[in-house]
Structure formats: structure tokens, C-alpha cells
Amino acid sequence: MKIDSEKSEFLDEMLEHWQEEKLLTEADVQRLRGSYETKDFDWRRLAQYSFWIAMACGVISLGALLIDDTILKYLERLYDTSDGVISILSISAAAYLFYLSFKRKQTKSHQVFSNEALIFTAVMLTANAIAYLGKAIGTSSGHFSLLLLLAVLIYGILAYVFRSRLIWVFALISLGAWFGTETGYLSRWNWYFAGMNYPLRFVCFGAVLTGLSFFMKKHKKIDYFFPVTYISGMAYLFVSLWLLSVFGNFGTLEAWYGVRQISLFYWAIISAAACIISIFAGLKYRDDIAREFGITFLFINLYTRYFEYFWDNWHKALFFCVLAASFWIIGRRAEKIWNVEFLKK
């Protein structure tokens, strides 16, 4: 069996440790080492990164074209093209790419990254088609969140039909954008909706989406999308909690500047409590996602509080000295875990 170099090094260290502890004989170690070999090169990862770079370069190339005078003059000639025509052309191209990616999944399912690249391009064209459809229809009400809701429905149906988690991610992103713009529209673009600013609203949104993911997990037809939905819900929830711990429930920066940061400490406590609950639940139920989100955002919260409360009060040399020491301690503990030192004691 061929494995990555990192996994091979880990297995070598574990076999040496078990041999030192007399759990395995030298013959056993040699036999087990003969059952695997290290890959010379990780071609799968190279393919993945290459497609990512290709898509990024495509975006950069498009930007470079748009600042070229010759291209701009050519686009000016096409400016008279109606928004409806552009929408139809975009959705037609997107439909063709979705069809092509569906066929490739059946005949060339091993070409994962090229298939995902086609889907990503089709998703972008779909978004473009919806945007130009909105321009073509036109509305004076400012209720453009309906277009985002349309995007949610389209992406959701496509994700279900193609069983694509990538499309489902865009459906969830569109859902979050719809929620933000819809609550803004209902509040007549006031900073508050039902007494909540945007971070507090998205705390509720993230909590509901996280709960919805567990509902999906119990249904076989949609449990395929559980991991993506769960991670997205947790991301919405914890990022919003972190923003809430910084800005509180203030609607404007002017109002926020008028108070001392220490007065928002209770929001920081709520955010940290959510992290601790997530860590505890992750450990109790062996939920790696909950545990990692809790640990990550607990550290982010602690360092945010450190900057808030000590940046102006401490000498910068002392401030960065303490910061360096804390990162050194974390790095040392991580190094011990990486080297499996806790098993060698």
C-alpha cells in the first residue's frame, strides 16, 4: 500500500516505539514495514492545487483584460446588448457546463478536480444570469433579496440533482446573503432588525442552520449534505459570535466608538462560553468539528481580548514579548503532539 510521506514517518515512529516497549518483535516490525511504502510524489494534491491556481489565474486574466484599452473599446460596442440577452446567454452556458459535468461524472468520475472546476464555472455563470435577470426586470422597491432567494432555490435543486457539495456550499452562501438583505429590507435598511444588529442576527441564523444540519443527518435523501451544512452553520455562528464580542449590539461605528471596550465584556463571556460548550460537546460525543471550532475560536477570542485590553496600556516591547511567549508555548505543545512525545513517556 502506498501512503503519503507524513503518514509513513508517523508509522515508522510508532513501530519504533512499540518495538522499544517490547510490544512487537523486530520480525514483526520488518513485516509491518513491508506492508506499506512511501509515495514518491503526491500527484493528487498537485492536481488539486493546479486547478485552484488555474481558476485564480483565470480571474486575474479577466481583470487584466478589463483594464486593457482595446478590450474596453470592444466591450463598449457590446454595451447596448440587453440585460435579458446576457442573462439568457449566461444561463445557457451554465446549463451546458452542468450537463457536461454530469456526463463527465458518469464517464470520468476519477477526474474529480476537473469536474469540480466545470461545476464552479457553471455556478458563476448561474450567478451572472440571475444578476442580469434582476437588471432586466428592474424594480423600484429595492427588494433585490428575492433574486438571492431565487439563487438559493436554483443552487439547492442543482445540488440535490447532481449530489454536489460544492453547489450546496453556494446555496448556503446565497442563503446567508438572502437572510442579511431580507432583514435589511424588512427593517427599511435600518441598522437594527427586531432589536438586533447584523452580527447578532447571524448568531441566530448560524444556530438555526446548525440545528437544521442535524435534521438533515437523519434523512437518507439529504444526509449527504450534512457535513457541509454543519460546518457552514458553525462558521456563521462562531464568526458572528466573535464579531459580537468585538462590536456588541451596536448598529454604527460612531456609537461603538463612544463606549469603552471593557463595557462589552459580557458579550466576550457569552462568546467564550459558546466555545467551551462546543469543546465539551465535541469531546463528549467525539465530534471533531465541534471540538475544532470551539478550540479555534476560543484562542481567537482570547487573543482578541488581549489586544483590546492591553494594546494601549502596556509598553509595546512587553506586549509583544508576552505574545511571543504565548505562541512559543502553543508551538511547543503542538510540536510534542506532532512528534507523539506523549506516547514516549
Side-chain angles (χ1 to χ4, degrees):
M1 179 178 66
K2 290 187 176 183
I3 58 176
D4 297 334
S5 59
E6 294 179 358
K7 295 179 181 178
S8 177
E9 290 175 4
F10 173 77
L11 288 176
D12 288 340
E13 290 180 2
M14 293 305 303
L15 289 174
E16 289 178 7
H17 170 70
W18 288 330
Q19 186 177 359
E20 291 172 0
E21 296 292 325
K22 310 253 187 244
L23 297 174
L24 294 174
T25 64
E26 185 175 352
D28 292 331
V29 171
Q30 294 299 326
R31 180 171 54 82
L32 290 171
R33 278 182 176 160
S35 65
Y36 63 89
E37 58 180 308
T38 307
K39 291 179 181 178
D40 295 329
F41 193 79
D42 193 346
W43 292 101
R44 186 179 186 277
R45 185 167 296 178
L46 175 63
Q48 181 180 12
Y49 291 160
S50 296
F51 278 111
W52 286 356
I53 294 171
M55 287 187 285
C57 289
V59 174
I60 295 171
S61 175
L62 179 61
L65 284 174
L66 292 177
I67 62 174
D68 184 87
D69 291 337
T70 305
I71 301 297
L72 286 174
K73 289 179 181 178
Y74 177 74
L75 291 175
E76 286 176 359
R77 297 175 187 174
L78 299 177
Y79 186 75
D80 293 334
T81 304
S82 67
D83 296 327
V85 172
I86 295 175
S87 179
I88 292 172
L89 291 175
S90 297
I91 199 63
S92 300
Y96 172 73
L97 289 179
F98 278 126
Y99 171 77
L100 183 61
S101 62
F102 178 72
K103 297 296 290 185
R104 284 176 62 88
K105 276 190 173 183
Q106 292 180 326
T107 58
K108 299 178 181 179
S109 58
H110 59 285
Q111 296 182 1
V112 178
F113 302 117
S114 57
N115 294 338
E116 290 295 312
L118 283 174
I119 291 175
F120 178 80
T121 306
V123 166
M124 292 294 98
L125 286 170
T126 303
N128 189 65
I130 294 172
Y132 274 95
L133 175 63
K135 291 179 67 178
I137 296 173
T139 176
S140 58
S141 65
H143 202 181
F144 55 86
S145 59
L146 292 176
L147 292 173
L148 293 170
L149 183 59
L150 176 62
V152 173
L153 295 175
I154 292 174
Y155 288 147
I157 293 170
L158 290 172
Y160 181 79
V161 171
F162 291 104
R163 287 185 64 80
S164 171
R165 287 173 176 164
L166 178 61
I167 302 176
W168 186 247
V169 168
F170 281 93
L172 295 176
I173 293 173
S174 301
L175 183 63
W178 168 81
F179 175 77
T181 53
E182 182 66 17
T183 54
Y185 173 78
L186 293 175
S187 63
R188 298 183 180 180
W189 305 111
N190 199 332
W191 290 111
Y192 292 98
F193 174 76
M196 299 181 290
N197 67 355
Y198 277 100
L200 186 53
R201 282 180 239 175
F202 274 95
V203 168
C204 300
F205 177 81
V208 171
L209 188 60
T210 302
L212 181 63
S213 68
F214 287 98
F215 171 79
M216 297 173 66
K217 187 179 182 181
K218 297 179 180 179
H219 294 75
K220 293 184 178 179
K221 291 185 178 180
I222 52 177
D223 64 347
Y224 177 75
F225 301 110
F226 163 72
V228 173
T229 309
Y230 185 28
I231 292 172
S232 299
M234 294 287 277
Y236 275 119
L237 175 62
F238 279 96
V239 171
S240 300
L241 280 170
W242 174 72
L243 290 173
L244 197 61
S245 73
V246 175
F247 298 105
N249 194 26
F250 287 100
T252 63
L253 288 176
E254 290 77 10
W256 176 64
Y257 282 135
V259 299
R260 295 184 62 188
Q261 199 63 29
I262 193 69
S263 66
L264 303 177
F265 189 68
Y266 58 93
W267 290 114
I269 293 176
I270 293 173
S271 181
C275 294
I276 294 171
I277 292 171
S278 182
I279 295 170
F280 177 77
L283 293 173
K284 183 176 181 180
Y285 299 105
R286 297 182 180 179
D287 187 337
D288 294 337
I289 295 174
R291 187 190 68 234
E292 295 302 321
F293 264 99
I295 292 172
T296 301
F297 278 91
L298 182 60
F299 275 109
I300 291 174
N301 271 279
L302 289 174
Y303 280 107
T304 301
R305 304 291 81 76
Y306 179 72
F307 273 86
E308 284 178 344
Y309 303 141
F310 299 111
W311 176 257
D312 293 326
N313 300 325
W314 283 10
H315 190 281
K316 295 303 179 283
L318 177 61
F319 180 89
F320 283 104
C321 181
V322 174
L323 195 64
S326 67
F327 276 110
W328 185 88
I329 294 170
I330 293 172
R332 180 58 187 141
R333 297 302 301 175
E335 184 182 38
K336 286 184 178 181
I337 295 173
W338 175 261
N339 292 325
V340 206
E341 290 186 12
F342 62 94
L343 290 177
K344 297 178 181 179
K345 294 181 180 179

